[in-house]
Amino acid sequence: MRVRRLLTTLLVWAGLAALQCQAEPLSAPLPVDEVAPGVFVHIGAIALMRKDNDGGIGNLGFVVGNDAVAVIDSGGSVREGRRLRAAIRARTDTPIRYVINTHGHPDHVFGNAAFVADGATFVGHHRLPAALKLRGPYYLEAFRRLLGDELIDEVRIIPPTLLVDQTMTLDLGGRKLTLAAWPVAHSDCDLTVFDETTATLFAGDLSFVTHIPVIDGSLKGLLAVLEQLDKIPAQRLVPGHGPVAEPHQAFAAQRRYLQTLSNDTRAMIARGAKLSEAADTAAASERPRWQMFDDYNARNATAAYSEIEWE
Amino acid sequence: MLANRLLSLIAGVAMLQGAASAARADAPAPYDPWPSLQQEIFKGRAMQDGNGVLAIEMPGRAEDAAIVPVTLRLKLPPGDARKVSAITLVIDQNPSPLAARFELGRDAGVSEISTRVRVNSYTDVHAIAELSDGQLYMVKTFVKASGGCSVPAAKDAVEARNNLGQIRFRQFAKAGDGHSSGAREAQIMIGHPNNSGLQMDQLTRAYTPAFFVNEMQVWLDDAPVLSMEGGISISENPNFQFSYVPTGGKQFRIEAKDTEGHVFQGEWKAETSGM
Ligand SMILES: [Zn+2]
């Protein structure tokens, strides 16, 4: 009898698979947690984008309203985007109306193409289209080496058409998302998403938890924006990388790192230390506190140095 | 003259790169440009192993391909009466490989020069010292970086414009052996986009024309300390740090020019080691 049930299950699966094969390749749903009612999060790997992780290093999420689902970041490859879509479809039939990109880095936008067939509207910072136009071709070329032809060939750079100048509200039916566009900080096109119903803040890469923060915009700008983010009455924080966290603690830890980097770099510049020395030693005291420190700290220090030396 | 040579190098290597990009991205570079660069830049003059004469320091993997630090350190043994008169920096795989040529003041005691360069792909970087007897000595290193010449310019374009043409000059006691040798260090910062001509404008999608600092000279009173002729491989906001031995000169004078003929200059009182 058990065998029979198993067989039936297999048949159903096979049938489903056959059906899905006609429409699209079958994708295993990405593991997601419901961190608050109707708010789902996939925590990306703490790693660099690689072929064997499908480029899946960024946190992805979706929020389900009565009328619409909003996706928050689409993943580091179309394959990961499809798996995110499968995770959504495993939980709700509500149409996917919005794909919000928190900024333009590959691990957050390379999955966009997986949602084109849904007719979703792509949403982003008013500077995101320019950023993607400018850097998109360079990303595709540079990440081919890391992700391989198979993953990169199907990536399409899809810019947002619904642009956020300062703030904007998206009504998903029975719940509202508040989107805010920020000045140059982690990047030049950072956008946050706040679910008013559950007080959940998706901060994109303005926030990192356990994973070392990364600067591709402005150290001073990022410190200033973090101060503002800390004032949002959020009960939980979904960072761009790392686990869901209590907002104040997470922001405090990140500000401590950035402030240490800033102080160390400023002191080195004052005594005439070269850029290469800053890259090797700035913020070394923070090494034990962060994962991926050796992958990003020198880069952060380089950015900090070239910003602070012109003060 | 240098400008002509630069132009021909730009044109020549741009074609090579077009051919290379048709090949697989992860395949090793099939072509070593060094022999032809050596011919082009040095007219095929013989070069000796430079390991006893100078060192080139660059990170093996660049953190930011648009700002890769490079230090050239001279280490001619004390018994050698010759002096280094010039150092040429060549980034083989860059669209404009001849990054910079530095001439050293005869009595300035320059023993170290640091700057920052763009690196466009995995490449050998050569440094060639020319000695007072005319001999050439070469060292090289290998750097992993990519996209340095086409990475979009300043993240904050407004701030970049405010810095245009500013020269800042800073002086330090030299770290390490400086105390005993009396050597000091100076740093020159020039606010300039140093557009490579390979970067795309955010709004127009047109390539921003090449526009860069191509000449710089430093004097202490009337004695030349250091001069530079450079190309688009020097990073945005060109930055030069060098050591020198004070000769009692009172006033530093710096003059830089860019490819549109702008002249940037300034004078600074020479600080002494006692300060
Ligand atoms: Zn990012």
PDB file of all heavy atoms in Angstrom, chain B residues 44-71:
ATOM      1  N   GLY B  44      64.465  48.494 -29.331  1.00  0.00           N
ATOM      2  CA  GLY B  44      65.186  47.233 -29.317  1.00  0.00           C
ATOM      3  C   GLY B  44      66.495  47.243 -28.529  1.00  0.00           C
ATOM      4  O   GLY B  44      67.277  46.299 -28.629  1.00  0.00           O
ATOM      5  N   ARG B  45      66.737  48.307 -27.761  1.00  0.00           N
ATOM      6  CA  ARG B  45      67.986  48.343 -26.978  1.00  0.00           C
ATOM      7  C   ARG B  45      68.043  47.175 -26.002  1.00  0.00           C
ATOM      8  O   ARG B  45      67.032  46.758 -25.438  1.00  0.00           O
ATOM      9  CB  ARG B  45      68.069  49.652 -26.187  1.00  0.00           C
ATOM     10  CG  ARG B  45      68.442  50.839 -27.048  1.00  0.00           C
ATOM     11  CD  ARG B  45      68.111  52.144 -26.364  1.00  0.00           C
ATOM     12  NE  ARG B  45      68.915  52.361 -25.169  1.00  0.00           N
ATOM     13  CZ  ARG B  45      68.673  53.328 -24.289  1.00  0.00           C
ATOM     14  NH1 ARG B  45      67.630  54.141 -24.456  1.00  0.00           N
ATOM     15  NH2 ARG B  45      69.446  53.487 -23.247  1.00  0.00           N
ATOM     16  N   ALA B  46      69.231  46.668 -25.773  1.00  0.00           N
ATOM     17  CA  ALA B  46      69.406  45.513 -24.890  1.00  0.00           C
ATOM     18  C   ALA B  46      69.035  45.893 -23.459  1.00  0.00           C
ATOM     19  O   ALA B  46      69.230  47.030 -23.040  1.00  0.00           O
ATOM     20  CB  ALA B  46      70.855  45.047 -24.942  1.00  0.00           C
ATOM     21  N   MET B  47      68.492  44.915 -22.759  1.00  0.00           N
ATOM     22  CA  MET B  47      68.124  45.134 -21.364  1.00  0.00           C
ATOM     23  C   MET B  47      68.736  44.052 -20.516  1.00  0.00           C
ATOM     24  O   MET B  47      68.777  42.890 -20.897  1.00  0.00           O
ATOM     25  CB  MET B  47      66.608  45.058 -21.199  1.00  0.00           C
ATOM     26  CG  MET B  47      65.908  46.280 -21.690  1.00  0.00           C
ATOM     27  SD  MET B  47      64.155  46.127 -21.462  1.00  0.00           S
ATOM     28  CE  MET B  47      63.656  47.543 -22.446  1.00  0.00           C
ATOM     29  N   GLN B  48      69.181  44.445 -19.319  1.00  0.00           N
ATOM     30  CA  GLN B  48      69.729  43.460 -18.401  1.00  0.00           C
ATOM     31  C   GLN B  48      68.739  43.191 -17.287  1.00  0.00           C
ATOM     32  O   GLN B  48      67.829  43.977 -17.047  1.00  0.00           O
ATOM     33  CB  GLN B  48      71.045  43.983 -17.833  1.00  0.00           C
ATOM     34  CG  GLN B  48      72.043  44.328 -18.936  1.00  0.00           C
ATOM     35  CD  GLN B  48      73.299  44.945 -18.361  1.00  0.00           C
ATOM     36  OE1 GLN B  48      73.885  44.400 -17.436  1.00  0.00           O
ATOM     37  NE2 GLN B  48      73.694  46.080 -18.906  1.00  0.00           N
ATOM     38  N   ASP B  49      68.967  42.076 -16.608  1.00  0.00           N
ATOM     39  CA  ASP B  49      68.147  41.745 -15.451  1.00  0.00           C
ATOM     40  C   ASP B  49      68.302  42.864 -14.419  1.00  0.00           C
ATOM     41  O   ASP B  49      69.411  43.174 -13.996  1.00  0.00           O
ATOM     42  CB  ASP B  49      68.619  40.406 -14.876  1.00  0.00           C
ATOM     43  CG  ASP B  49      67.875  40.042 -13.594  1.00  0.00           C
ATOM     44  OD1 ASP B  49      66.980  40.813 -13.170  1.00  0.00           O
ATOM     45  OD2 ASP B  49      68.198  38.981 -13.024  1.00  0.00           O
ATOM     46  N   GLY B  50      67.181  43.445 -14.006  1.00  0.00           N
ATOM     47  CA  GLY B  50      67.264  44.611 -13.137  1.00  0.00           C
ATOM     48  C   GLY B  50      67.126  44.322 -11.659  1.00  0.00           C
ATOM     49  O   GLY B  50      66.972  45.253 -10.859  1.00  0.00           O
ATOM     50  N   ASN B  51      67.200  43.054 -11.279  1.00  0.00           N
ATOM     51  CA  ASN B  51      66.894  42.741  -9.880  1.00  0.00           C
ATOM     52  C   ASN B  51      67.848  43.367  -8.859  1.00  0.00           C
ATOM     53  O   ASN B  51      67.472  43.561  -7.721  1.00  0.00           O
ATOM     54  CB  ASN B  51      66.785  41.232  -9.685  1.00  0.00           C
ATOM     55  CG  ASN B  51      65.403  40.744 -10.095  1.00  0.00           C
ATOM     56  OD1 ASN B  51      64.395  41.216  -9.577  1.00  0.00           O
ATOM     57  ND2 ASN B  51      65.342  39.860 -11.084  1.00  0.00           N
ATOM     58  N   GLY B  52      69.071  43.678  -9.269  1.00  0.00           N
ATOM     59  CA  GLY B  52      69.963  44.355  -8.330  1.00  0.00           C
ATOM     60  C   GLY B  52      69.848  45.870  -8.390  1.00  0.00           C
ATOM     61  O   GLY B  52      70.520  46.585  -7.649  1.00  0.00           O
ATOM     62  N   VAL B  53      68.994  46.365  -9.267  1.00  0.00           N
ATOM     63  CA  VAL B  53      68.950  47.804  -9.517  1.00  0.00           C
ATOM     64  C   VAL B  53      67.641  48.444  -9.054  1.00  0.00           C
ATOM     65  O   VAL B  53      67.610  49.519  -8.487  1.00  0.00           O
ATOM     66  CB  VAL B  53      69.166  48.085 -11.025  1.00  0.00           C
ATOM     67  CG1 VAL B  53      68.992  49.562 -11.351  1.00  0.00           C
ATOM     68  CG2 VAL B  53      70.552  47.603 -11.443  1.00  0.00           C
ATOM     69  N   LEU B  54      66.549  47.737  -9.336  1.00  0.00           N
ATOM     70  CA  LEU B  54      65.264  48.289  -8.912  1.00  0.00           C
ATOM     71  C   LEU B  54      64.280  47.161  -8.612  1.00  0.00           C
ATOM     72  O   LEU B  54      64.522  45.998  -8.964  1.00  0.00           O
ATOM     73  CB  LEU B  54      64.680  49.249  -9.956  1.00  0.00           C
ATOM     74  CG  LEU B  54      63.960  48.694 -11.193  1.00  0.00           C
ATOM     75  CD1 LEU B  54      63.157  49.801 -11.850  1.00  0.00           C
ATOM     76  CD2 LEU B  54      64.937  48.089 -12.166  1.00  0.00           C
ATOM     77  N   ALA B  55      63.207  47.518  -7.918  1.00  0.00           N
ATOM     78  CA  ALA B  55      62.149  46.556  -7.617  1.00  0.00           C
ATOM     79  C   ALA B  55      60.819  47.195  -7.971  1.00  0.00           C
ATOM     80  O   ALA B  55      60.664  48.414  -7.881  1.00  0.00           O
ATOM     81  CB  ALA B  55      62.175  46.184  -6.139  1.00  0.00           C
ATOM     82  N   ILE B  56      59.880  46.360  -8.402  1.00  0.00           N
ATOM     83  CA  ILE B  56      58.529  46.840  -8.657  1.00  0.00           C
ATOM     84  C   ILE B  56      57.584  46.104  -7.718  1.00  0.00           C
ATOM     85  O   ILE B  56      57.634  44.883  -7.611  1.00  0.00           O
ATOM     86  CB  ILE B  56      58.121  46.664 -10.140  1.00  0.00           C
ATOM     87  CG1 ILE B  56      56.680  47.149 -10.357  1.00  0.00           C
ATOM     88  CG2 ILE B  56      58.277  45.227 -10.608  1.00  0.00           C
ATOM     89  CD1 ILE B  56      56.291  47.297 -11.825  1.00  0.00           C
ATOM     90  N   GLU B  57      56.780  46.870  -7.007  1.00  0.00           N
ATOM     91  CA  GLU B  57      55.837  46.260  -6.061  1.00  0.00           C
ATOM     92  C   GLU B  57      54.415  46.596  -6.464  1.00  0.00           C
ATOM     93  O   GLU B  57      54.047  47.757  -6.579  1.00  0.00           O
ATOM     94  CB  GLU B  57      56.095  46.799  -4.647  1.00  0.00           C
ATOM     95  CG  GLU B  57      57.420  46.347  -4.077  1.00  0.00           C
ATOM     96  CD  GLU B  57      57.794  47.105  -2.800  1.00  0.00           C
ATOM     97  OE1 GLU B  57      56.921  47.787  -2.223  1.00  0.00           O
ATOM     98  OE2 GLU B  57      58.965  47.029  -2.415  1.00  0.00           O
ATOM     99  N   MET B  58      53.632  45.541  -6.704  1.00  0.00           N
ATOM    100  CA  MET B  58      52.205  45.709  -6.977  1.00  0.00           C
ATOM    101  C   MET B  58      51.503  44.533  -6.330  1.00  0.00           C
ATOM    102  O   MET B  58      52.108  43.477  -6.156  1.00  0.00           O
ATOM    103  CB  MET B  58      51.923  45.673  -8.491  1.00  0.00           C
ATOM    104  CG  MET B  58      52.460  46.859  -9.260  1.00  0.00           C
ATOM    105  SD  MET B  58      52.126  46.732 -11.034  1.00  0.00           S
ATOM    106  CE  MET B  58      50.484  47.458 -11.149  1.00  0.00           C
ATOM    107  N   PRO B  59      50.232  44.690  -5.957  1.00  0.00           N
ATOM    108  CA  PRO B  59      49.521  43.534  -5.414  1.00  0.00           C
ATOM    109  C   PRO B  59      49.320  42.495  -6.515  1.00  0.00           C
ATOM    110  O   PRO B  59      49.090  42.859  -7.661  1.00  0.00           O
ATOM    111  CB  PRO B  59      48.176  44.120  -4.955  1.00  0.00           C
ATOM    112  CG  PRO B  59      48.007  45.370  -5.747  1.00  0.00           C
ATOM    113  CD  PRO B  59      49.382  45.878  -6.078  1.00  0.00           C
ATOM    114  N   GLY B  60      49.419  41.212  -6.188  1.00  0.00           N
ATOM    115  CA  GLY B  60      49.225  40.166  -7.177  1.00  0.00           C
ATOM    116  C   GLY B  60      47.820  40.178  -7.740  1.00  0.00           C
ATOM    117  O   GLY B  60      47.590  39.942  -8.914  1.00  0.00           O
ATOM    118  N   ARG B  61      46.853  40.474  -6.857  1.00  0.00           N
ATOM    119  CA  ARG B  61      45.462  40.588  -7.301  1.00  0.00           C
ATOM    120  C   ARG B  61      45.003  41.987  -6.902  1.00  0.00           C
ATOM    121  O   ARG B  61      45.106  42.361  -5.740  1.00  0.00           O
ATOM    122  CB  ARG B  61      44.591  39.540  -6.605  1.00  0.00           C
ATOM    123  CG  ARG B  61      43.159  39.507  -7.099  1.00  0.00           C
ATOM    124  CD  ARG B  61      42.393  38.358  -6.439  1.00  0.00           C
ATOM    125  NE  ARG B  61      42.110  38.613  -5.037  1.00  0.00           N
ATOM    126  CZ  ARG B  61      40.978  39.177  -4.595  1.00  0.00           C
ATOM    127  NH1 ARG B  61      40.039  39.535  -5.439  1.00  0.00           N
ATOM    128  NH2 ARG B  61      40.781  39.387  -3.310  1.00  0.00           N
ATOM    129  N   ALA B  62      44.523  42.745  -7.869  1.00  0.00           N
ATOM    130  CA  ALA B  62      44.133  44.127  -7.584  1.00  0.00           C
ATOM    131  C   ALA B  62      42.763  44.159  -6.936  1.00  0.00           C
ATOM    132  O   ALA B  62      41.854  43.454  -7.355  1.00  0.00           O
ATOM    133  CB  ALA B  62      44.113  44.928  -8.868  1.00  0.00           C
ATOM    134  N   GLU B  63      42.623  44.952  -5.901  1.00  0.00           N
ATOM    135  CA  GLU B  63      41.331  45.086  -5.231  1.00  0.00           C
ATOM    136  C   GLU B  63      40.386  45.919  -6.074  1.00  0.00           C
ATOM    137  O   GLU B  63      39.195  45.672  -6.116  1.00  0.00           O
ATOM    138  CB  GLU B  63      41.518  45.723  -3.854  1.00  0.00           C
ATOM    139  CG  GLU B  63      42.371  44.898  -2.909  1.00  0.00           C
ATOM    140  CD  GLU B  63      41.812  43.501  -2.707  1.00  0.00           C
ATOM    141  OE1 GLU B  63      40.595  43.309  -2.871  1.00  0.00           O
ATOM    142  OE2 GLU B  63      42.591  42.589  -2.402  1.00  0.00           O
ATOM    143  N   ASP B  64      40.923  46.931  -6.695  1.00  0.00           N
ATOM    144  CA  ASP B  64      40.120  47.783  -7.560  1.00  0.00           C
ATOM    145  C   ASP B  64      40.972  48.063  -8.788  1.00  0.00           C
ATOM    146  O   ASP B  64      41.976  48.761  -8.698  1.00  0.00           O
ATOM    147  CB  ASP B  64      39.766  49.077  -6.817  1.00  0.00           C
ATOM    148  CG  ASP B  64      38.884  49.992  -7.658  1.00  0.00           C
ATOM    149  OD1 ASP B  64      38.813  49.798  -8.895  1.00  0.00           O
ATOM    150  OD2 ASP B  64      38.263  50.894  -7.087  1.00  0.00           O
ATOM    151  N   ALA B  65      40.564  47.514  -9.921  1.00  0.00           N
ATOM    152  CA  ALA B  65      41.402  47.573 -11.119  1.00  0.00           C
ATOM    153  C   ALA B  65      41.628  48.998 -11.612  1.00  0.00           C
ATOM    154  O   ALA B  65      42.535  49.253 -12.386  1.00  0.00           O
ATOM    155  CB  ALA B  65      40.773  46.731 -12.227  1.00  0.00           C
ATOM    156  N   ALA B  66      40.800  49.925 -11.148  1.00  0.00           N
ATOM    157  CA  ALA B  66      40.956  51.314 -11.573  1.00  0.00           C
ATOM    158  C   ALA B  66      41.970  52.068 -10.720  1.00  0.00           C
ATOM    159  O   ALA B  66      42.388  53.163 -11.082  1.00  0.00           O
ATOM    160  CB  ALA B  66      39.608  52.023 -11.538  1.00  0.00           C
ATOM    161  N   ILE B  67      42.328  51.512  -9.570  1.00  0.00           N
ATOM    162  CA  ILE B  67      43.322  52.153  -8.688  1.00  0.00           C
ATOM    163  C   ILE B  67      44.242  51.071  -8.146  1.00  0.00           C
ATOM    164  O   ILE B  67      44.056  50.575  -7.036  1.00  0.00           O
ATOM    165  CB  ILE B  67      42.693  52.815  -7.440  1.00  0.00           C
ATOM    166  CG1 ILE B  67      41.243  53.249  -7.649  1.00  0.00           C
ATOM    167  CG2 ILE B  67      43.536  53.978  -6.955  1.00  0.00           C
ATOM    168  CD1 ILE B  67      40.614  53.760  -6.356  1.00  0.00           C
ATOM    169  N   VAL B  68      45.223  50.678  -8.929  1.00  0.00           N
ATOM    170  CA  VAL B  68      46.154  49.648  -8.481  1.00  0.00           C
ATOM    171  C   VAL B  68      47.460  50.327  -8.056  1.00  0.00           C
ATOM    172  O   VAL B  68      48.110  50.983  -8.866  1.00  0.00           O
ATOM    173  CB  VAL B  68      46.436  48.631  -9.600  1.00  0.00           C
ATOM    174  CG1 VAL B  68      47.310  47.501  -9.077  1.00  0.00           C
ATOM    175  CG2 VAL B  68      45.132  48.084 -10.173  1.00  0.00           C
ATOM    176  N   PRO B  69      47.815  50.195  -6.773  1.00  0.00           N
ATOM    177  CA  PRO B  69      49.034  50.867  -6.322  1.00  0.00           C
ATOM    178  C   PRO B  69      50.288  50.215  -6.905  1.00  0.00           C
ATOM    179  O   PRO B  69      50.354  48.992  -7.029  1.00  0.00           O
ATOM    180  CB  PRO B  69      48.996  50.711  -4.796  1.00  0.00           C
ATOM    181  CG  PRO B  69      48.002  49.650  -4.495  1.00  0.00           C
ATOM    182  CD  PRO B  69      47.117  49.477  -5.700  1.00  0.00           C
ATOM    183  N   VAL B  70      51.259  51.033  -7.277  1.00  0.00           N
ATOM    184  CA  VAL B  70      52.542  50.500  -7.752  1.00  0.00           C
ATOM    185  C   VAL B  70      53.659  51.321  -7.107  1.00  0.00           C
ATOM    186  O   VAL B  70      53.569  52.546  -7.014  1.00  0.00           O
ATOM    187  CB  VAL B  70      52.632  50.518  -9.295  1.00  0.00           C
ATOM    188  CG1 VAL B  70      52.258  51.870  -9.861  1.00  0.00           C
ATOM    189  CG2 VAL B  70      54.023  50.128  -9.776  1.00  0.00           C
ATOM    190  N   THR B  71      54.678  50.622  -6.606  1.00  0.00           N
ATOM    191  CA  THR B  71      55.847  51.293  -6.033  1.00  0.00           C
ATOM    192  C   THR B  71      57.099  50.836  -6.772  1.00  0.00           C
ATOM    193  O   THR B  71      57.296  49.640  -6.981  1.00  0.00           O
ATOM    194  CB  THR B  71      55.975  50.972  -4.527  1.00  0.00           C
ATOM    195  OG1 THR B  71      54.860  51.559  -3.846  1.00  0.00           O
ATOM    196  CG2 THR B  71      57.255  51.562  -3.938  1.00  0.00           C
TER     197      THR B  71
END
